[in-house]
Amino acid sequence: MTQASAAKEATAKEILNSIEIDLKGKCRFNCSFCSLTKVKTSDKSKKNGLSLNELTGLIAQASELGAKRVILFNDSSRQHPDTEEIIKFITEKKMQVIPFSSDLSCNPSMNSGLVNDNHAAIKCLKHKDSCFITLEGSVFPCVGMPLSIGNIRNTSLNKILRDSEIIANLKNHESMIKGPCQKCDKFSNCYGCRARAFALTGDYLASDPQCPENHDKLDQITYLPMSVEKLLPQKQGMCVVTKLLKVGERYARVESVFSGKSPFIKENRSLEEFAYMEVMAQSAGVMDGFEKFDTGQADPEGYLIGGQKINIYAKTYAGDRLIIDIYKTTKFGNFGILTAQIHCKDVLIADGEIKVYQIDGTN
């Protein structure tokens, strides 16, 4: 083995320590964050679940990435039909099998990121070397955080974990977690419960509101939705977006409402066509600004270079509530390409691609 290939193999081995796999198709736990968000591990029928070949392929990928144990979420009264074969395969890969049944109390000693019967958070850094896969193949940072970063039916586990901005941000938690957690003397070894923070604030990088260390600092924690005033350099009048509603993997949902006094509104109260591209560009700025907001990092600066394939399908007017879904698709150094869709009352109003440039020192 060459030195380069040995280094590459060593790097690959650093990705995972454990992996958690759902074999049930439906979570019966009543963890605080899940009951708050009304989201369970999986709500699809088992007929859409991963096949035995897909499951063993997933486990083989995890083994190649360094995973030493596999936590299997199962149903003791009605186990997955391939449970024995799956356990046998895991054992052959010389990995530890940890079965976990939904009719048992959550076990803090597993360090699986769940909570116990008193809903006391297990503080961990598990997202640095673990992940959870649903019965349909969606990859979550952990079992309690319903925030998909990809699906193994479309992309290899290796690529999902390496390309995920969410995983990268969690691995770099000392720079990326927002708010009072940054000043906690336990911060290097703890970032609260990320699943609970996501459920309570809408932001997986927010400080944990229920951590005892933050009980007197709740006013310093940001929650979604939030106004974009502190996220963009544009001043009132030239700012064409109003609220950040949601964040995800290379994704954000933003709101825009134009007043009748906006310079982008025509005499007939309809929105100028060129304003839609600016709405897309500022939505991109909001997404980047929020990631760095309240982390101590420099405020982001960038420019809209241009747009292409900008399609406008209908008119909108002053007072209309526009919803922008924007996705990061490509990045080359400081240059980025993003795609966006703009809806009004569930009707597609506009879509297209924009190109942006981010100034050095703000990445």
Side-chain angles (χ1 to χ4, degrees), residues 152-163:
I152 63 165
R153 283 176 161 163
N154 305 321
T155 312
S156 71
L157 183 62
N158 184 1
K159 184 171 176 56
I160 289 172
L161 296 177
R162 288 186 181 279
D163 290 353

Side-chain angles (χ1 to χ4, degrees), residues 15-21 33 39 41 69 71 73 111-114 124-134 137-152 157 160-161 163-171 177 191-196 198-199 203-205 247-250:
I15 293 180
L16 285 176
N17 179 56
S18 65
I19 189 172
E20 302 170 0
I21 305 175
F33 38 79
V39 175
T41 307
R69 63 178 184 169
I71 300 170
F73 291 78
N111 194 26
S112 64
L114 296 172
C124 66
L125 301 175
K126 69 187 300 295
H127 308 97
K128 292 178 180 289
D129 59 10
S130 182
C131 64
F132 174 80
I133 293 86
T134 72
S138 290
V139 183
F140 294 169
C142 75
V143 64
M145 194 188 301
L147 190 60
S148 178
I149 61 174
N151 191 294
I152 63 165
L157 183 62
I160 289 172
L161 296 177
D163 290 353
S164 170
E165 288 193 355
I166 289 175
I167 295 299
N169 288 339
L170 290 171
K171 286 178 180 290
I177 300 295
Y191 52 24
C193 177
R194 292 296 93 215
R196 192 169 59 186
F198 177 65
D203 178 16
Y204 69 98
L205 294 173
V247 294
E249 178 64 59
R250 299 175 181 264

Side-chain angles (χ1 to χ4, degrees), residues 59-166:
I59 293 164
Q61 290 182 62
S63 177
E64 291 174 0
L65 296 175
K68 299 176 181 63
R69 63 178 184 169
V70 180
I71 300 170
L72 296 177
F73 291 78
N74 218 329
D75 191 329
S76 62
S77 61
R78 191 177 178 182
Q79 287 200 341
H80 188 284
D82 296 317
T83 298
E84 290 187 9
E85 287 295 320
I86 294 167
I87 292 176
K88 179 181 177 182
F89 185 82
I90 296 170
T91 303
E92 290 173 350
K93 287 289 182 181
K94 303 187 184 306
M95 303 164 75
Q96 181 186 9
V97 182
I98 302 180
F100 197 77
S101 176
S102 61
D103 57 2
L104 298 174
S105 298
C106 299
N107 183 359
S109 65
M110 285 175 49
N111 194 26
S112 64
L114 296 172
V115 294
N116 62 20
D117 291 334
N118 295 321
H119 293 150
I122 303 167
K123 296 179 177 64
C124 66
L125 301 175
K126 69 187 300 295
H127 308 97
K128 292 178 180 289
D129 59 10
S130 182
C131 64
F132 174 80
I133 293 86
T134 72
L135 187 62
E136 294 80 37
S138 290
V139 183
F140 294 169
C142 75
V143 64
M145 194 188 301
L147 190 60
S148 178
I149 61 174
N151 191 294
I152 63 165
R153 283 176 161 163
N154 305 321
T155 312
S156 71
L157 183 62
N158 184 1
K159 184 171 176 56
I160 289 172
L161 296 177
R162 288 186 181 279
D163 290 353
S164 170
E165 288 193 355
I166 289 175

Side-chain angles (χ1 to χ4, degrees), residues 179-200:
C181 278
Q182 285 270 345
K183 299 178 181 178
C184 179
D185 57 8
K186 303 172 184 175
F187 189 45
S188 60
N189 296 310
C190 165
Y191 52 24
C193 177
R194 292 296 93 215
R196 192 169 59 186
F198 177 65
L200 293 171

